Each structure stands twice: as structure tokens, then as C-alpha cells.
């Protein structure tokens, strides 16, 4: 409530279960996503990979010298552990869906390989 009127009605809301990472998504994590997209869609649908890449121009600012960030922040290995920037809501949502699928795949593989699997 922007005006702090507190005139909305209280109600109970249920949220389905979800996973949350402990930290921000790092450049290395997003690079892994881009690599996977490139392997799966790169030859047939290169626009899918292009659409997923972060906008490195977010660093450009008037009267600021941020060109090294524009060129290096996402690409250079020194920034692998830094948070990814320049990702819009749709890109972030697609990444989250992809990450959920990969985590669930890993859980499924581990459960099939466990000694208690039926």
C-alpha cells in the first residue's frame, strides 16, 4: 500500500511449495543456463539463446566510465561469482523454470540410483 492507508482486507493466502537459493544467481549459474540453451536450441533456434542473454548495456550511464563492465562483467571469468545483472522478468522466469527442471531431474536420478529404490 503506497499511501499506507491500510484499507485492504486481511485474508489468508496459501502459496504452493517452492525452492529458493541461498544466494543471488551468479554469472556462472546463468552462463550454465545459456550453455544448455545453446546445446539444445542453438543450431535450430538461435533466437532462443539470443533472447536469454542478459543486457550488458545496463552498465552504461551518462558521465560514468562503466565500459569495462559493459564488455567484461558477464563474460570474464573474474566475475563468475558476482550476481547476474541485466536480466528482465521474463528471462528470470524462464531461468527459474529451467533451474527447477534441472533440480527435479537430479532428485529423480538420485532417487533411482539410491539403494532403497524399488
Amino acid at each position: 500500500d503506497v499511501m499506507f492507508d491500510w484499507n485492504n482486507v486481511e485474508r489468508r493466502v496459501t502459496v504452493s511449495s517452492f525452492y529458493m537459493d541461498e544466494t543471488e544467481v551468479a554469472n556462472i549459474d546463468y552462463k550454465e543456463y545459456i550453455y544448455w540453451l545453446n546445446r539444445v536450441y542453438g543450431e535450430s533456434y538461435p533466437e532462443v539463446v539470443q533472447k536469454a542473454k542478459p543486457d550488458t548495456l545496463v552498465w552504461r550511464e551518462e558521465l560514468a566510465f562503466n565500459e569495462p563492465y559493459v564488455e567484461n562483467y558477464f563474460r570474464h571469468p573474474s566475475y563468475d561469482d558476482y550476481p547476474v545483472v541485466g536480466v528482465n522478468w521474463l528471462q528470470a522466469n524462464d531461468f527459474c523454470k529451467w533451474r527447477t527442471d534441472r533440480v527435479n531431474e537430479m532428485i529423480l536420478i538420485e532417487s533411482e540410483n539410491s539403494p532403497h529404490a524399488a
Side-chain angles (χ1 to χ4, degrees), residues 91-105:
Q91 290 170 317
N93 199 26
D94 289 343
F95 173 82
C96 290
K97 288 177 187 175
W98 171 83
R99 172 115 177 169
T100 299
D101 288 346
R102 301 296 73 78
V103 169
N104 287 335
E105 274 180 356

Side-chain angles (χ1 to χ4, degrees), residues 19-109:
Y19 293 104
M20 183 183 292
D21 283 327
E22 292 182 20
T23 61
E24 302 93 346
V25 174
N27 283 325
I28 190 79
D29 302 324
Y30 205 79
K31 284 182 194 177
E32 182 181 354
Y33 169 58
I34 298 292
Y35 175 77
W36 185 90
L37 286 176
N38 201 25
R39 263 191 20 241
V40 174
Y41 298 107
E43 237 176 80
S44 304
Y45 302 101
E47 64 276 4
V48 171
V49 180
Q50 279 306 117
K51 192 175 82 170
K53 289 183 179 177
D55 179 13
T56 58
L57 298 180
V58 296
W59 292 106
R60 285 221 170 120
E61 191 174 312
E62 198 172 331
L63 301 177
F65 181 68
N66 291 337
E67 288 305 306
Y69 288 135
V70 171
E71 296 297 321
N72 298 323
Y73 187 81
F74 183 68
R75 292 169 185 83
H76 198 278
S78 297
Y79 295 101
D80 277 352
D81 294 327
Y82 286 62
V84 68
V85 298
V87 176
N88 65 35
W89 188 89
L90 292 172
Q91 290 170 317
N93 199 26
D94 289 343
F95 173 82
C96 290
K97 288 177 187 175
W98 171 83
R99 172 115 177 169
T100 299
D101 288 346
R102 301 296 73 78
V103 169
N104 287 335
E105 274 180 356
M106 186 179 72
I107 291 169
L108 183 62
I109 290 168

